[in-house]
């Protein structure tokens, strides 16, 4: 009798988890894709506009809030919302400066190919009026300030989806959550936010980039027991790694968008390999 009751409880729990995941995905994709389409196709706004980006970026957080509160009613105990600054400060530091280190590694790899001639002039254009040497530091400060914006995604991706998508299988969960997050970003490639000379290659590279990033963010979340270091690292990816590498490597004597993306993926995959291989075996 006890075994039958436990089996029924497990079955009910699994059905509730799947119901929550379905609702989460429908809300996350529905809000983001719907708003991006309306903003660009109806209102004529650029997707670079913060008025477009911010509401879309908070769609995963809204979905997680709705699901946790009203769909599954499981609450927020495991959401990782606490800062935990005293215990997790090394992971905050790593999340903050890590994207700058990855950018340096990408530039070093580009130089090693012999196809790139050093030029820092474009870096100054990122923040006009600021000395070139200060631009990376200023971008790191900007990433720190805007971390709350990227919380909108990470409260959903690493605070909910990562924990529910493949229970007991952390490696698979990171890969699947990263794939879902990548697909969620796809409209940006069709609505003018990014433009690839070879769209299919661009989307493949972007997908692998985000999946590698998710492995790193999942590791930060597990180690710090908070989603805030992951949010900070996500901010650094968007505001430090991508702008610096693009400014330094894109253009004559450098690499195209797909080439830069490949270099970033190679470095990120190397970084992600450590936590991925050290993660406990799937059950």
């Amino acid at each position: 009798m006890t075994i039958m009751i436990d089996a029924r409880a497990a079955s009910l729990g699994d059905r509730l988890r799947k119901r929550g995941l379905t609702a989460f995905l429908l809300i996350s994709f529905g809000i983001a894709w719907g708003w991006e389409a309306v903003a660009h196709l109806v209102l004529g706004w650029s997707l670079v506009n913060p008025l477009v980006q911010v509401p879309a970026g908070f769609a995963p957080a809204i979905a997680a809030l709705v699901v946790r509160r009203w769909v599954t009613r499981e609450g927020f105990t495991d959401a990782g919302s606490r800062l935990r600054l005293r215990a997790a400060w090394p992971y905050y530091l790593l999340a903050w400066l890590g994207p700058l280190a990855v950018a340096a590694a990408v530039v070093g790899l580009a130089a090693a190919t012999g196809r790139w001639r050093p030029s820092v002039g474009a870096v100054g254009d990122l923040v006009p009026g600021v000395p070139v040497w200060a631009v990376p530091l200023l971008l790191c400060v900007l990433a720190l300030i805007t971390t709350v914006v990227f919380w909108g995604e990470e409260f959903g991706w690493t605070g909910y989806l990562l924990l529910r998508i493949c229970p007991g299988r952390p490696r698979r969960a990171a890969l699947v959550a990263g794939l879902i997050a990548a697909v969620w970003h796809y409209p940006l490639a069709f609505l003018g936010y990014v433009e690839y000379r070879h769209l299919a290659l661009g989307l493949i590279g972007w997908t692998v980039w985000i999946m590698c990033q998710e492995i790193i963010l999942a590791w930060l979340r597990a180690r710090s027991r908070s989603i805030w270091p992951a949010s900070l690292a996500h901010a650094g990816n968007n505001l430090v790694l991508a702008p610096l590498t693009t400014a330094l490597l894109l253009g004559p004597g450098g690499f195209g968008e797909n080439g830069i993306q490949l270099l970033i993926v190679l470095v990120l995959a190397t970084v992600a390999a450590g936590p991925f291989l050290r993660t406990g075996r799937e059950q």
Side-chain angles (χ1 to χ4, degrees), residues 2-219:
T2 302
I3 294 176
M4 291 179 62
I5 292 174
D6 290 343
R8 288 177 182 174
S11 177
L12 287 171
D14 192 55
R15 287 205 299 270
L16 189 62
R17 178 183 67 85
K18 291 178 179 178
R19 185 191 308 164
L21 281 171
T22 301
F24 172 81
L25 294 174
L26 287 174
I27 296 170
S28 296
F29 280 76
I31 292 177
W33 286 13
W35 170 238
E36 288 165 354
V38 168
H40 186 73
L41 301 176
V42 178
L43 301 178
W45 293 358
S46 167
L47 266 67
V48 178
N49 189 334
L51 293 177
V52 180
Q53 289 190 30
V54 173
F58 273 86
I62 294 171
L65 286 167
V66 169
V67 170
R68 285 180 174 276
R69 177 64 181 85
W70 289 289
V71 177
T72 62
R73 300 188 178 185
E74 59 201 285
F76 301 88
T77 303
D78 64 349
S81 299
R82 292 178 55 196
L83 287 171
R84 296 179 50 80
L85 284 171
R86 181 176 297 181
W89 70 264
Y91 302 103
Y92 279 97
L93 187 63
L94 188 61
W96 186 40
L97 300 180
L100 185 60
V102 171
V106 170
V107 172
L109 181 59
T113 66
R115 292 185 51 199
W116 175 66
R117 295 192 303 270
S119 174
V120 298
V123 175
D125 296 335
L126 292 174
V127 188
V130 175
V132 171
W133 62 266
V135 171
L137 177 60
L138 188 60
L139 291 178
C140 287
V141 173
L142 182 61
L144 183 63
I145 294 172
T146 58
T147 296
V148 67
V149 176
F150 295 91
W151 172 91
E153 287 190 49
E154 295 312 319
F155 187 77
W157 304 141
T158 59
Y160 179 79
L161 180 63
L162 183 69
L163 305 181
R164 302 290 184 271
I165 195 66
C166 298
R169 298 178 174 179
R171 293 178 181 173
R172 186 178 300 180
L175 291 174
V176 175
L179 177 61
I180 291 172
V183 173
W184 181 84
H185 284 84
Y186 279 5
L188 301 181
F190 295 97
L191 298 176
Y193 182 82
V194 293
E195 295 182 2
Y196 294 111
R197 184 176 179 182
H198 302 287
L199 180 60
L201 289 177
L203 289 178
I204 291 171
W206 203 7
T207 299
V208 178
W209 178 342
I210 293 175
M211 290 175 72
C212 290
Q213 176 181 279
E214 186 59 35
I215 292 170
I216 298 169
L217 300 186
W219 179 82

